[in-house]
Amino acid sequence: MYIVHVFVHVKRDYVEDFIEATVENAKNSLQEPGVALFDIVQQQDDLTRFVLVEVYRHYEDPAKHKNTEHYQRWREKVSDMMAEPRTSTVFYNVFPEDESWG
């Protein structure tokens, strides 16, 4: 598994628009065969901060995801909504076993 946490800081006036666009992207992403999980979480004490929790089945799958029409549409739509550039951290799966992911 290839696990990515994407950290996003959105301009206050765009929070609802960001959520709408990102939920649409997540729903489409879950249709990709290489995507095991695509969660969106919002920070409780700062509603302008989000983490996208993306779990891919193989190392190559994030690149495939970034080539999809829905990702490129999302990236274009939310680019001006960012308060700062988004960052990401990549993780290894420890538990549960890779075969246990949906």
Side-chain angles (χ1 to χ4, degrees):
M1 304 305 273
Y2 190 86
I3 301 165
V4 183
H5 289 187
V6 180
F7 302 91
V8 182
H9 184 198
V10 177
K11 295 173 187 172
R12 189 166 308 282
D13 292 343
Y14 292 101
V15 169
E16 292 305 318
D17 293 335
F18 175 79
I19 291 172
E20 182 180 327
T22 305
V23 167
E24 179 183 339
N25 180 55
K27 287 179 180 179
N28 285 307
S29 298
L30 289 170
Q31 302 304 309
E32 297 173 45
V35 176
L37 181 81
F38 201 109
D39 289 350
I40 306 162
V41 294
Q42 186 176 28
Q43 189 170 315
Q44 288 187 5
D45 63 349
D46 183 349
L47 299 178
T48 66
R49 296 189 181 270
F50 297 83
V51 179
L52 310 182
V53 181
E54 305 174 17
V55 179
Y56 298 93
R57 298 185 189 289
H58 304 287
Y59 174 80
E60 305 82 21
D61 291 326
K64 292 177 185 176
H65 166 70
K66 289 181 179 178
N67 284 322
T68 63
E69 182 179 323
H70 62 87
Y71 170 79
Q72 293 178 20
R73 186 173 53 244
W74 172 82
R75 186 183 65 203
E76 178 70 25
K77 187 179 274 188
V78 301
S79 64
D80 290 336
M81 298 179 192
M82 302 292 168
E84 60 190 88
R86 60 189 184 276
T87 61
S88 63
T89 304
V90 178
F91 297 88
Y92 291 113
N93 182 46
V94 175
F95 181 85
E97 298 295 322
D98 286 359
E99 296 77 27
S100 298
W101 289 88

